[in-house]
Amino acid sequence: MLTGTAKETYAADEALLTTRPHKLWMAAFMALLAVAPFLLNDYWLYLLCLATIYVASATGLNILTGYTGLVSLGHAAFMAVGAYTVAFLERETGLPFLLNILLGGLLAAALGAVVGLPSLRVKGLYLAIATIAFSFILHFVFVHFEGVTGGNRGINVAPATIFGHELSTYFDLYYVIMPVTVLLVLGAANLFRTRIGRAFIAIRDRDISAEVLGIPLLRYKLMSFAVAAFYAGVAGGLWAYFFRLVTPETFPLLTSIFLLAAIIVGGMGTILGGIIGAVFMTLTPEALRVVVDILSLFVDNAAGVLSPIRTVVFGGLIILFLVFEPQGLAEIIQRMRRFLQLWPYKR
Amino acid sequence: MDWLFFAEVSMAGLGSGALLALTALAFVLIYKATKIINLAVGEVLMFGGYLYFAFAAGWGLPAWASIPLAVIGGGVVGGIVERGIIRPMLGENPISVFMVTVGLGSVLIGLTELIWGPNPRSVPAFVPSSPVFIGEAYVSRKILVSFVVAGVVIALFALLFRFWRGGVALRATATDQAAAYSCGIDVPRVFAAAWILGCATAAGAGVLLGSIGGLSVEMGAFGLSALAVVIVGGLDSILGALIGGLTLGLVQSWTSTYWGGEYVNLTTFSILLAALVVRPYGLFGTHDIERL
């Protein structure tokens, strides 16, 4: 049975996967992820890779916003830092590409700690606005620091190579992007089994009480910023190898809003939320495209209104979820699971 | 240094600063009553500008009719938004409500693009384009008019807050919601009033801004500059909005003239960051003491 799990040890209580069906489903899911490129065509593989990159970034933002309660609207800027670092290293040095991505993440993390500095002085809305300001300043740096960033033209990124083999197809890239993201998500899930992760949650729930309980606020807030920025930096590095061009316009404020929307729609403060939110938000525009394609049989110029409709639906999703289901898709899934478990007996 | 040129640049800066102050007023009105930062102010402003365009160019109404209609249109948007999505969020944490307004901004951009298309539009002028000279310095008449209008509106609101019953109710709600309730003030109505007034103000600013610089769906970015103004000036202070707006207008004008347009965002947001770190509650804002 899925229900009625009696936990007898602390280890069992903290475990990520508790029941046998849970483990089986997860194993099946992992196996599916492993063979996905053989089952999908190039278009769907492209979408899957893109969604996976966003999953990595959204999971980072979820650590910061969902678990630590610090709202950031500058997350895309951290992705940009990772992407630029990777592009720069790829152009200037012969370092292996995984190391480049790691360095991109670390540089973003360092910057994240700096951006987090105002977080002890201001919080909530003010912090969100400070991060907007930060992302605009960083945009200026990208445009004007031409020797490194190539100014408005940006940098072309050479394809990642491993043992002399160029990773240029989506098929190859998938096997880089997916494992990295799985590792990151796993890391996030495990983070909240440790002292640090629990400190984050304590800060979210009541920062003053957390300090009374002996959690140094500034250190943990900065740590949260750094971890979130690391995730974004790695995601940005993956992005750089995926699209092979980085410009100042690649990561606008809209991407930050997109990521925040993803964790709102998915469910703040749950690992699952970050994942399904990012996938959902990546796939929704495609679903809309299909709808518009069908509509264009009956209405002329339906294709012309696709982009504004996407904008409206994007904003509408944020509003609807916040008003009607603030816990997000993750909560809906939990509810469905409970329903199915109790199904014939519950009245 | 060419002092005449400097004077002209400064006056143009004061003109755009007055518009910033007017937009900042829209933030202040809504924040003061409801403790919500409405990030969609920039988009309401854009929507107001387009409404004016629709009335003046589409229906061919004269300016004296289409300007009030556009302002009323902004107020209607504010009312609908307050009733439809802000009222159900009462009591939620401020971040959620803030995010709702982010979503609202996106919806407004999309709707505007659906109705009027993505291309920039120019608005029929309601002010003659002949220049005005103050001393020897040249000032565009449009900018002068918007300066005067913004000044009058801000002064009007300051007086209303001080003396009008509704203004007093609004300040009472801002100070202590529960106490205002128990004194017989209809708090939900105050909320609605704040949203309607705020959005109408933003729409009016949009008409002025659109008549100076033309309309585009990217106009909402102006709202971010105005946000910098309210952070510097204090989120709940009309005086702060005025002084902050004029100052930022001047600084932006000087920056773009002497350094180049691309530095405008940099200075604006650097000022914003510095203000946040040094005085998070702004120059004239209320300094909240947080209790456990």
Side-chain angles (χ1 to χ4, degrees), chain A residues 65 71 73 118 121-134 136-137 140-141 144 206-209 212 253-254 257 260-261 264 268 305 307-316 318-319 322-323 326, chain B residues 31 35-37 39 84-85 88-89 92 94-111 113-114 224 227 231 235 262-263 265-266 269-270 272-273 276-281 290-292:
Chain A
T65 302
V71 178
L73 276 168
R121 193 99 167 89
V122 298
K123 55 185 169 192
L125 299 168
Y126 292 94
L127 186 61
I129 292 158
T131 54
I132 294 181
F134 156 76
F136 273 99
I137 290 170
F140 177 85
V141 172
H144 284 83
R206 201 84 180 100
D207 54 351
I208 299 174
S209 316
V212 171
L253 182 61
L254 193 65
I257 298 177
L260 204 49
I264 288 173
M268 275 203 209
V305 298
S307 142
I309 287 182
R310 277 180 182 171
T311 320
V312 172
V313 169
F314 175 70
I318 301 180
I319 295 175
L322 276 169
V323 174
Chain B
Y31 184 82
K35 293 277 179 290
I36 292 166
I37 296 182
L39 207 69
I85 56 180
M89 299 286 294
E92 294 272 345
I95 302 294
S96 310
V97 190
F98 174 75
M99 276 311 293
V100 162
T101 67
V102 172
L104 174 67
S106 178
V107 169
L108 280 176
I109 289 180
L111 283 180
E113 218 172 303
L114 270 182
L224 283 179
L227 190 60
I231 297 286
L235 262 169
E262 69 268 30
Y263 284 86
N265 266 342
L266 182 74
F269 289 105
S270 305
L272 172 60
L273 268 184
L276 271 175
V277 174
V278 180
R279 279 178 83 93
Y281 40 89
E290 199 182 348
R291 300 178 188 86
L292 191 62

Side-chain angles (χ1 to χ4, degrees), chain A residues 13-208:
Chain A
D13 192 37
E14 283 186 336
L16 287 179
L17 302 171
T18 40
T19 59
R20 182 184 285 269
H22 207 160
K23 284 173 194 162
L24 285 175
W25 278 113
M26 187 54 94
F29 179 65
M30 284 297 159
L32 190 67
L33 284 186
V35 298
F38 296 97
L39 307 175
L40 298 172
N41 63 21
D42 240 20
Y43 173 70
W44 282 102
L45 202 53
Y46 159 81
L47 279 181
L48 184 59
C49 288
L50 189 63
T52 310
I53 292 174
Y54 281 133
V55 165
S57 192
T59 303
L61 185 63
N62 212 350
I63 293 175
L64 182 65
T65 302
Y67 282 100
T68 323
L70 304 168
V71 178
S72 161
L73 276 168
H75 208 58
F78 296 128
M79 285 182 79
V81 170
Y84 269 114
T85 312
V86 163
F88 178 76
L89 289 173
E90 187 67 44
R91 188 183 61 186
E92 302 290 330
T93 67
L95 293 174
F97 79 102
L98 280 174
L99 190 62
N100 289 345
I101 291 176
L102 183 68
L103 287 173
L106 289 176
L107 186 68
L111 211 62
V114 175
V115 176
L117 277 177
S119 67
L120 196 69
R121 193 99 167 89
V122 298
K123 55 185 169 192
L125 299 168
Y126 292 94
L127 186 61
I129 292 158
T131 54
I132 294 181
F134 156 76
S135 65
F136 273 99
I137 290 170
L138 214 57
H139 181 268
F140 177 85
V141 172
F142 294 145
V143 175
H144 284 83
F145 200 21
E146 281 191 31
V148 175
T149 64
N152 273 320
R153 277 175 294 108
I155 311 180
N156 285 304
V157 185
T161 50
I162 189 161
F163 305 125
H165 174 66
E166 278 196 357
L167 306 177
S168 50
T169 62
Y170 296 144
F171 185 91
D172 291 341
L173 281 166
Y174 175 87
Y175 283 108
V176 176
I177 293 170
M178 186 53 86
V180 171
T181 301
V182 167
L183 271 181
L184 287 177
V185 171
L186 202 62
N190 276 308
L191 180 67
F192 297 101
R193 301 167 66 196
T194 67
R195 182 188 160 78
I196 297 171
R198 286 196 300 269
F200 287 173
I201 295 173
I203 290 173
R204 175 192 67 189
D205 289 346
R206 201 84 180 100
D207 54 351
I208 299 174

